[in-house]
Amino acid sequence: MEFTYVPTTCPYCGTGCGLNLVVKDKKVVGVAPWHRNPVNEGKLCPKGNYAYEFINSPDRLTTPLIKKDGKFVEASWDEAYKLIASKFKSYKPEEMACLSSARVSNEENYLMQKFARAVLKTPHIDHCARLCHSSTVAGLAAVFGSGAMTNSIIDIGESKCVFVIGSNTLEQHPLIGRRIMVAKKNGAKVIVADPRLTPTAKLADLYLPFYSGTDVALMNGMMQHIIKNGLENKEFIAKRTKDFEKLKEVVMKDTYSLDNVAKICGIPAKDIATAAEWIAKAESSNLLYSMGITQHTVGVDNVKSTANLQMLTGHLGKRGGGVCALRGQNNVQGACDMGCLPNVYSGYQSVLNADLHKKMETAWSCNIAEGKAGYTVTEMINVLADTPGKLKCMYIMGENPMISDPDLHHVEKGLRTLEFLVVQDIFLTETAALADVVLPATCFAEKNGTQTSTERRVQIWRKAQDPPGQAKVDWQIICELGKVMGFEKQFDFKSSEEIFNEIAKVTPSYAGMNYARLDKPEGLHWPCPTVEHPGTPILHKEKFGTPDGLGIFTPIEYKAQAESPDKEYPLLLTTGRCIWQWHTGSMTRRSPDLEREESTGWIEINADEAKEMGIRDKEMIRAVTRRGEVQVPARVTPRIKRGVVFMPFHFVECAANVLTINALDPVAKIPEFKACAVRVEKIAEAK
């Protein structure tokens, strides 16, 4: 009997916690603390503690599957590759699309976008950042010149005021929540804006239970109060920013007076004033947000408003400050960095720039997809459903849109119009069940590679066991398929390290990184432009990433959500996660300890409203929107605002995304998961 510990990085949220996988006789059997990791210092949330349980699940895919006469049959890799290659070669580039994954490594994401652009010649490549933080990438890039979290996680503990909006941090990013608790212990004021009294909100010194979707109004009101009272950071504004007068012209309107904003948001005017004063007067103030800000038709506006507030008060480029966009999945930051987006190559190099297009063609030694932006994933689904035949073929790696995307009836309608679908995953997910070919891949414990956390920290995965059956590492599958397609030179990699070396050559922000430098618990923060560079935990210390180095104030008017409550659908539905489950549940729901804690979904209803409707706690009720309906247990609680209901989206048996609206932000194309009109009703008892 042989025991070993293999240090690696957690496969769940974007925090980037380190852990040791416990390996017995070459099989992962547990998780143990890795105290040297600076992010979590040996501590883990429940998901991290049980991150080993799904690895050797009996449900793991172990052999390629090909659908024949409507049923899957086992196939050899050669048979699967030949079928895929022949089908891929039969379609035009504009008829094909690829989805990459926030769950796989940087190296694998890089190869998937390279495969799309170099082999298939298609510009249609995206991944699930579109559904969570595409508005962050667009919004912060427009204001700061970089669409990423500005400060490190450790910084949060040094803040003198922490403003959390659109994030239930203690449940979704528990080890970042720990840093908020450290800051509070050290005397920081904590402000939380959320329609639910979450565990994070309970930590607050000031709780703002505002209506979901009124973020811009709230922050405009705070900024008006700051300017009226002369609390803005005049020196920072003068030296580091531009267009302040344009912002002032909008936020000083009577629309954003404290009294008017209080009515829009449903919170007391005095509390808005207090929050504004705490932020403005603090030595350092950190603003944390997640998908409660981004998942709106005004997601980009919301993100720009957070940047406006932090520039107005001068809380950027220093420890304890910053705009901290908390990424939801382990490598969603890395997947964006690697160019798994329809408008950029790796390192956010625009596909529209002719010089960068030529750079990538030279690096890859072949012609690539023409220099135009392709479809986002939300646009792909709309094209499939609304104009069948325009897109005919898809290659999906590690994504499950049949649970994760909005308006699931619409998603299924779209995917069923495909002539040929390939899904590469570790389980037969709801999306894989629709595929023509399923390729068995590997999880984080079965491969080497890197991932990039929400704070831009690049860290190493280390292989702890062999994959089950005939399953292969994702980068190996892409390389072998590339060779079958005639691109042996472009995909002649023997290791993940070789792939990373190519990433560093073509990606300026990763240029100074290599496996030798990353082989330590600290990893490196990008940008890291040279091998001598120490990495950059804090962005924008001296200047912003804009052409002139100045942050750009952006005047934003408040706009209501796409679908507001009315007589027929009188409540506002918002969705999110719980601490025990994650994303579409494909991994956590195969973890017995996590599944035991939260084995199905629910809908939270304000206790007073539930009483008025005659709804009891745990009673099975019906939730109905214009898209569909689900039956779901009620969770009656005083800890949610009147007029608002909440559902987690992990559970296929009561899928929240059957109900959500497919209305998109016009810039980022992100769906409005956080606000739509719904009604709840009792189910008539059987007679």
Side-chain angles (χ1 to χ4, degrees), residues 210-231:
F210 76 137
Y211 288 115
S212 179
T214 61
D215 310 78
V216 167
L218 175 61
M219 285 183 276
N220 278 358
M222 293 167 71
M223 287 187 279
Q224 182 181 117
H225 184 74
I226 289 167
I227 295 169
K228 267 188 175 180
N229 290 276
L231 299 175

Side-chain angles (χ1 to χ4, degrees), residues 208-280:
L208 305 175
F210 76 137
Y211 288 115
S212 179
T214 61
D215 310 78
V216 167
L218 175 61
M219 285 183 276
N220 278 358
M222 293 167 71
M223 287 187 279
Q224 182 181 117
H225 184 74
I226 289 167
I227 295 169
K228 267 188 175 180
N229 290 276
L231 299 175
E232 71 273 23
N233 189 321
K234 297 177 180 64
E235 182 181 1
F236 187 91
I237 293 167
K239 291 183 177 179
R240 299 286 311 274
T241 72
K242 64 182 181 182
D243 295 343
F244 171 63
E245 292 301 321
K246 292 180 181 178
L247 175 84
K248 189 175 176 180
E249 187 178 338
V250 168
V251 302
M252 298 310 289
K253 290 180 179 179
D254 186 58
T255 307
Y256 305 114
S257 69
L258 290 182
D259 287 341
N260 285 334
V261 169
K263 292 173 187 174
I264 294 169
C265 298
I267 50 179
K270 64 179 179 61
D271 289 349
I272 302 171
T274 299
E277 291 169 18
W278 284 1
I279 292 168

Side-chain angles (χ1 to χ4, degrees), residues 172-222:
Q172 312 318 327
H173 302 86
L175 274 298
I176 295 178
R178 176 174 173 256
R179 297 292 175 180
I180 300 174
M181 297 174 77
V182 168
K184 184 179 173 75
K185 183 180 179 182
N186 291 334
K189 297 286 191 182
V190 177
I191 307 161
V192 177
D194 197 306
R196 302 168 63 222
L197 185 62
T198 64
T200 311
K202 291 177 183 177
L203 183 67
D205 298 289
L206 177 62
Y207 170 47
L208 305 175
F210 76 137
Y211 288 115
S212 179
T214 61
D215 310 78
V216 167
L218 175 61
M219 285 183 276
N220 278 358
M222 293 167 71

Side-chain angles (χ1 to χ4, degrees), residues 136 140 144 146-150 323 325 327 333 456 526 539-540:
T136 288
L140 293 187
F144 298 153
S146 172
M149 182 167 164
T150 65
V323 175
R327 296 304 193 108
Q333 181 66 58
R456 297 171 287 104
W526 69 255
L539 295 176
H540 318 310

Side-chain angles (χ1 to χ4, degrees), residues 346 357 525 683:
S346 62
H357 182 266
H525 294 81
I683 299 171

